[in-house]
PDB file of all heavy atoms in Angstrom:
ATOM      1  N   GLU X 439     -28.344   5.146  -6.618  1.00  0.00           N
ATOM      2  CA  GLU X 439     -28.332   3.906  -5.839  1.00  0.00           C
ATOM      3  C   GLU X 439     -29.120   4.071  -4.547  1.00  0.00           C
ATOM      4  O   GLU X 439     -29.928   3.209  -4.178  1.00  0.00           O
ATOM      5  CB  GLU X 439     -26.902   3.513  -5.485  1.00  0.00           C
ATOM      6  CG  GLU X 439     -26.042   3.033  -6.623  1.00  0.00           C
ATOM      7  CD  GLU X 439     -24.672   2.640  -6.120  1.00  0.00           C
ATOM      8  OE1 GLU X 439     -24.551   1.574  -5.473  1.00  0.00           O
ATOM      9  OE2 GLU X 439     -23.716   3.390  -6.361  1.00  0.00           O
ATOM     10  N   ILE X 440     -28.868   5.177  -3.862  1.00  0.00           N
ATOM     11  CA  ILE X 440     -29.590   5.467  -2.622  1.00  0.00           C
ATOM     12  C   ILE X 440     -31.096   5.496  -2.883  1.00  0.00           C
ATOM     13  O   ILE X 440     -31.899   4.913  -2.137  1.00  0.00           O
ATOM     14  CB  ILE X 440     -29.146   6.832  -2.052  1.00  0.00           C
ATOM     15  CG1 ILE X 440     -27.675   6.801  -1.649  1.00  0.00           C
ATOM     16  CG2 ILE X 440     -30.033   7.243  -0.879  1.00  0.00           C
ATOM     17  CD1 ILE X 440     -27.388   6.220  -0.310  1.00  0.00           C
ATOM     18  N   GLU X 441     -31.495   6.154  -3.951  1.00  0.00           N
ATOM     19  CA  GLU X 441     -32.924   6.346  -4.208  1.00  0.00           C
ATOM     20  C   GLU X 441     -33.623   5.051  -4.585  1.00  0.00           C
ATOM     21  O   GLU X 441     -34.737   4.780  -4.116  1.00  0.00           O
ATOM     22  CB  GLU X 441     -33.104   7.411  -5.288  1.00  0.00           C
ATOM     23  CG  GLU X 441     -32.659   8.798  -4.814  1.00  0.00           C
ATOM     24  CD  GLU X 441     -32.996   9.906  -5.797  1.00  0.00           C
ATOM     25  OE1 GLU X 441     -33.416   9.580  -6.937  1.00  0.00           O
ATOM     26  OE2 GLU X 441     -32.838  11.079  -5.429  1.00  0.00           O
ATOM     27  N   TYR X 442     -32.997   4.221  -5.425  1.00  0.00           N
ATOM     28  CA  TYR X 442     -33.638   2.956  -5.789  1.00  0.00           C
ATOM     29  C   TYR X 442     -33.715   2.010  -4.589  1.00  0.00           C
ATOM     30  O   TYR X 442     -34.687   1.260  -4.438  1.00  0.00           O
ATOM     31  CB  TYR X 442     -32.904   2.296  -6.955  1.00  0.00           C
ATOM     32  CG  TYR X 442     -33.288   2.876  -8.298  1.00  0.00           C
ATOM     33  CD1 TYR X 442     -32.384   3.636  -9.028  1.00  0.00           C
ATOM     34  CD2 TYR X 442     -34.565   2.683  -8.826  1.00  0.00           C
ATOM     35  CE1 TYR X 442     -32.737   4.185 -10.258  1.00  0.00           C
ATOM     36  CE2 TYR X 442     -34.927   3.218 -10.051  1.00  0.00           C
ATOM     37  CZ  TYR X 442     -34.009   3.971 -10.757  1.00  0.00           C
ATOM     38  OH  TYR X 442     -34.367   4.525 -11.974  1.00  0.00           O
ATOM     39  N   ALA X 443     -32.687   2.037  -3.719  1.00  0.00           N
ATOM     40  CA  ALA X 443     -32.734   1.205  -2.520  1.00  0.00           C
ATOM     41  C   ALA X 443     -33.853   1.661  -1.595  1.00  0.00           C
ATOM     42  O   ALA X 443     -34.601   0.841  -1.042  1.00  0.00           O
ATOM     43  CB  ALA X 443     -31.384   1.259  -1.798  1.00  0.00           C
ATOM     44  N   TRP X 444     -34.003   2.979  -1.419  1.00  0.00           N
ATOM     45  CA  TRP X 444     -35.094   3.483  -0.580  1.00  0.00           C
ATOM     46  C   TRP X 444     -36.450   3.147  -1.189  1.00  0.00           C
ATOM     47  O   TRP X 444     -37.385   2.780  -0.469  1.00  0.00           O
ATOM     48  CB  TRP X 444     -34.967   4.992  -0.391  1.00  0.00           C
ATOM     49  CG  TRP X 444     -34.144   5.412   0.778  1.00  0.00           C
ATOM     50  CD1 TRP X 444     -33.076   6.259   0.780  1.00  0.00           C
ATOM     51  CD2 TRP X 444     -34.325   5.019   2.151  1.00  0.00           C
ATOM     52  NE1 TRP X 444     -32.575   6.404   2.043  1.00  0.00           N
ATOM     53  CE2 TRP X 444     -33.326   5.657   2.911  1.00  0.00           C
ATOM     54  CE3 TRP X 444     -35.223   4.190   2.797  1.00  0.00           C
ATOM     55  CZ2 TRP X 444     -33.200   5.504   4.284  1.00  0.00           C
ATOM     56  CZ3 TRP X 444     -35.105   4.010   4.172  1.00  0.00           C
ATOM     57  CH2 TRP X 444     -34.113   4.665   4.902  1.00  0.00           C
ATOM     58  N   LYS X 445     -36.570   3.269  -2.495  1.00  0.00           N
ATOM     59  CA  LYS X 445     -37.858   2.983  -3.142  1.00  0.00           C
ATOM     60  C   LYS X 445     -38.290   1.547  -2.865  1.00  0.00           C
ATOM     61  O   LYS X 445     -39.461   1.278  -2.563  1.00  0.00           O
ATOM     62  CB  LYS X 445     -37.742   3.234  -4.649  1.00  0.00           C
ATOM     63  CG  LYS X 445     -39.040   3.051  -5.409  1.00  0.00           C
ATOM     64  CD  LYS X 445     -38.852   3.373  -6.891  1.00  0.00           C
ATOM     65  CE  LYS X 445     -40.162   3.196  -7.649  1.00  0.00           C
ATOM     66  NZ  LYS X 445     -40.001   3.497  -9.099  1.00  0.00           N
ATOM     67  N   TRP X 446     -37.331   0.608  -2.936  1.00  0.00           N
ATOM     68  CA  TRP X 446     -37.664  -0.793  -2.697  1.00  0.00           C
ATOM     69  C   TRP X 446     -38.021  -1.021  -1.235  1.00  0.00           C
ATOM     70  O   TRP X 446     -38.970  -1.752  -0.923  1.00  0.00           O
ATOM     71  CB  TRP X 446     -36.483  -1.671  -3.119  1.00  0.00           C
ATOM     72  CG  TRP X 446     -36.811  -3.130  -3.163  1.00  0.00           C
ATOM     73  CD1 TRP X 446     -37.523  -3.798  -4.118  1.00  0.00           C
ATOM     74  CD2 TRP X 446     -36.442  -4.121  -2.199  1.00  0.00           C
ATOM     75  NE1 TRP X 446     -37.618  -5.128  -3.812  1.00  0.00           N
ATOM     76  CE2 TRP X 446     -36.960  -5.358  -2.643  1.00  0.00           C
ATOM     77  CE3 TRP X 446     -35.706  -4.079  -1.010  1.00  0.00           C
ATOM     78  CZ2 TRP X 446     -36.762  -6.539  -1.935  1.00  0.00           C
ATOM     79  CZ3 TRP X 446     -35.517  -5.260  -0.307  1.00  0.00           C
ATOM     80  CH2 TRP X 446     -36.043  -6.477  -0.775  1.00  0.00           C
ATOM     81  N   CYS X 447     -37.266  -0.416  -0.330  1.00  0.00           N
ATOM     82  CA  CYS X 447     -37.544  -0.597   1.100  1.00  0.00           C
ATOM     83  C   CYS X 447     -38.830   0.110   1.533  1.00  0.00           C
ATOM     84  O   CYS X 447     -39.559  -0.387   2.405  1.00  0.00           O
ATOM     85  CB  CYS X 447     -36.372  -0.095   1.934  1.00  0.00           C
ATOM     86  SG  CYS X 447     -34.906  -1.153   1.824  1.00  0.00           S
ATOM     87  N   ASP X 448     -39.110   1.265   0.928  1.00  0.00           N
ATOM     88  CA  ASP X 448     -40.319   2.006   1.298  1.00  0.00           C
ATOM     89  C   ASP X 448     -41.585   1.202   1.052  1.00  0.00           C
ATOM     90  O   ASP X 448     -42.547   1.277   1.827  1.00  0.00           O
ATOM     91  CB  ASP X 448     -40.392   3.325   0.519  1.00  0.00           C
ATOM     92  CG  ASP X 448     -39.489   4.403   1.113  1.00  0.00           C
ATOM     93  OD1 ASP X 448     -38.891   4.156   2.173  1.00  0.00           O
ATOM     94  OD2 ASP X 448     -39.392   5.492   0.513  1.00  0.00           O
ATOM     95  N   GLN X 449     -41.595   0.402  -0.030  1.00  0.00           N
ATOM     96  CA  GLN X 449     -42.817  -0.376  -0.295  1.00  0.00           C
ATOM     97  C   GLN X 449     -43.000  -1.460   0.757  1.00  0.00           C
ATOM     98  O   GLN X 449     -44.120  -1.826   1.097  1.00  0.00           O
ATOM     99  CB  GLN X 449     -42.807  -0.959  -1.727  1.00  0.00           C
ATOM    100  CG  GLN X 449     -41.520  -1.667  -2.156  1.00  0.00           C
ATOM    101  CD  GLN X 449     -41.513  -3.163  -1.882  1.00  0.00           C
ATOM    102  OE1 GLN X 449     -42.565  -3.761  -1.767  1.00  0.00           O
ATOM    103  NE2 GLN X 449     -40.336  -3.750  -1.793  1.00  0.00           N
ATOM    104  N   LEU X 450     -41.903  -1.979   1.314  1.00  0.00           N
ATOM    105  CA  LEU X 450     -42.022  -2.940   2.409  1.00  0.00           C
ATOM    106  C   LEU X 450     -42.579  -2.282   3.659  1.00  0.00           C
ATOM    107  O   LEU X 450     -43.491  -2.819   4.312  1.00  0.00           O
ATOM    108  CB  LEU X 450     -40.645  -3.535   2.726  1.00  0.00           C
ATOM    109  CG  LEU X 450     -40.159  -4.704   1.883  1.00  0.00           C
ATOM    110  CD1 LEU X 450     -38.725  -5.058   2.259  1.00  0.00           C
ATOM    111  CD2 LEU X 450     -41.057  -5.910   2.064  1.00  0.00           C
ATOM    112  N   ILE X 451     -42.024  -1.117   3.996  1.00  0.00           N
ATOM    113  CA  ILE X 451     -42.466  -0.413   5.201  1.00  0.00           C
ATOM    114  C   ILE X 451     -43.929  -0.020   5.079  1.00  0.00           C
ATOM    115  O   ILE X 451     -44.716  -0.166   6.030  1.00  0.00           O
ATOM    116  CB  ILE X 451     -41.581   0.831   5.434  1.00  0.00           C
ATOM    117  CG1 ILE X 451     -40.145   0.383   5.744  1.00  0.00           C
ATOM    118  CG2 ILE X 451     -42.132   1.688   6.567  1.00  0.00           C
ATOM    119  CD1 ILE X 451     -39.131   1.499   5.719  1.00  0.00           C
ATOM    120  N   ALA X 452     -44.334   0.462   3.897  1.00  0.00           N
ATOM    121  CA  ALA X 452     -45.732   0.832   3.673  1.00  0.00           C
ATOM    122  C   ALA X 452     -46.643  -0.391   3.792  1.00  0.00           C
ATOM    123  O   ALA X 452     -47.742  -0.319   4.355  1.00  0.00           O
ATOM    124  CB  ALA X 452     -45.886   1.490   2.309  1.00  0.00           C
ATOM    125  N   GLY X 453     -46.171  -1.535   3.289  1.00  0.00           N
ATOM    126  CA  GLY X 453     -46.972  -2.759   3.381  1.00  0.00           C
ATOM    127  C   GLY X 453     -47.167  -3.198   4.819  1.00  0.00           C
ATOM    128  O   GLY X 453     -48.275  -3.587   5.219  1.00  0.00           O
ATOM    129  N   TRP X 454     -46.104  -3.133   5.631  1.00  0.00           N
ATOM    130  CA  TRP X 454     -46.239  -3.467   7.047  1.00  0.00           C
ATOM    131  C   TRP X 454     -47.227  -2.533   7.740  1.00  0.00           C
ATOM    132  O   TRP X 454     -48.070  -2.966   8.521  1.00  0.00           O
ATOM    133  CB  TRP X 454     -44.886  -3.349   7.742  1.00  0.00           C
ATOM    134  CG  TRP X 454     -43.897  -4.413   7.377  1.00  0.00           C
ATOM    135  CD1 TRP X 454     -44.177  -5.642   6.863  1.00  0.00           C
ATOM    136  CD2 TRP X 454     -42.481  -4.333   7.499  1.00  0.00           C
ATOM    137  NE1 TRP X 454     -43.016  -6.344   6.651  1.00  0.00           N
ATOM    138  CE2 TRP X 454     -41.963  -5.567   7.041  1.00  0.00           C
ATOM    139  CE3 TRP X 454     -41.603  -3.354   7.954  1.00  0.00           C
ATOM    140  CZ2 TRP X 454     -40.584  -5.828   7.030  1.00  0.00           C
ATOM    141  CZ3 TRP X 454     -40.236  -3.616   7.948  1.00  0.00           C
ATOM    142  CH2 TRP X 454     -39.737  -4.837   7.479  1.00  0.00           C
ATOM    143  N   ARG X 455     -47.101  -1.252   7.430  1.00  0.00           N
ATOM    144  CA  ARG X 455     -47.963  -0.252   8.085  1.00  0.00           C
ATOM    145  C   ARG X 455     -49.428  -0.477   7.695  1.00  0.00           C
ATOM    146  O   ARG X 455     -50.316  -0.465   8.549  1.00  0.00           O
ATOM    147  CB  ARG X 455     -47.507   1.153   7.689  1.00  0.00           C
ATOM    148  CG  ARG X 455     -48.286   2.270   8.371  1.00  0.00           C
ATOM    149  CD  ARG X 455     -47.673   3.627   8.074  1.00  0.00           C
ATOM    150  NE  ARG X 455     -47.590   3.894   6.651  1.00  0.00           N
ATOM    151  CZ  ARG X 455     -46.456   4.015   5.975  1.00  0.00           C
ATOM    152  NH1 ARG X 455     -45.285   3.877   6.595  1.00  0.00           N
ATOM    153  NH2 ARG X 455     -46.465   4.269   4.681  1.00  0.00           N
ATOM    154  N   ASN X 456     -49.681  -0.719   6.440  1.00  0.00           N
ATOM    155  CA  ASN X 456     -51.068  -0.896   5.978  1.00  0.00           C
ATOM    156  C   ASN X 456     -51.681  -2.192   6.502  1.00  0.00           C
ATOM    157  O   ASN X 456     -52.887  -2.259   6.741  1.00  0.00           O
ATOM    158  CB  ASN X 456     -51.114  -0.877   4.445  1.00  0.00           C
ATOM    159  CG  ASN X 456     -50.729   0.476   3.873  1.00  0.00           C
ATOM    160  OD1 ASN X 456     -50.840   1.501   4.548  1.00  0.00           O
ATOM    161  ND2 ASN X 456     -50.256   0.491   2.632  1.00  0.00           N
ATOM    162  N   ALA X 457     -50.826  -3.199   6.679  1.00  0.00           N
ATOM    163  CA  ALA X 457     -51.335  -4.486   7.168  1.00  0.00           C
ATOM    164  C   ALA X 457     -51.414  -4.531   8.686  1.00  0.00           C
ATOM    165  O   ALA X 457     -51.975  -5.478   9.251  1.00  0.00           O
ATOM    166  CB  ALA X 457     -50.453  -5.618   6.654  1.00  0.00           C
ATOM    167  N   GLY X 458     -50.868  -3.511   9.359  1.00  0.00           N
ATOM    168  CA  GLY X 458     -50.816  -3.529  10.816  1.00  0.00           C
ATOM    169  C   GLY X 458     -49.991  -4.684  11.348  1.00  0.00           C
ATOM    170  O   GLY X 458     -50.275  -5.240  12.409  1.00  0.00           O
ATOM    171  N   ASP X 459     -48.948  -5.036  10.597  1.00  0.00           N
ATOM    172  CA  ASP X 459     -48.144  -6.209  10.936  1.00  0.00           C
ATOM    173  C   ASP X 459     -47.198  -5.897  12.088  1.00  0.00           C
ATOM    174  O   ASP X 459     -46.337  -5.020  11.978  1.00  0.00           O
ATOM    175  CB  ASP X 459     -47.339  -6.644   9.699  1.00  0.00           C
ATOM    176  CG  ASP X 459     -46.497  -7.866   9.949  1.00  0.00           C
ATOM    177  OD1 ASP X 459     -46.959  -8.758  10.663  1.00  0.00           O
ATOM    178  OD2 ASP X 459     -45.365  -7.915   9.430  1.00  0.00           O
ATOM    179  N   ALA X 460     -47.339  -6.615  13.197  1.00  0.00           N
ATOM    180  CA  ALA X 460     -46.454  -6.436  14.353  1.00  0.00           C
ATOM    181  C   ALA X 460     -45.273  -7.390  14.236  1.00  0.00           C
ATOM    182  O   ALA X 460     -45.408  -8.505  13.716  1.00  0.00           O
ATOM    183  CB  ALA X 460     -47.215  -6.698  15.645  1.00  0.00           C
TER     184      ALA X 460
END
Side-chain angles (χ1 to χ4, degrees):
E439 290 182 74
I440 296 278
E441 293 188 351
Y442 279 111
W444 271 126
K445 184 178 180 180
W446 191 76
C447 289
D448 281 355
Q449 48 92 23
L450 277 174
I451 295 168
W454 289 338
R455 183 173 57 246
N456 294 337
D459 181 38

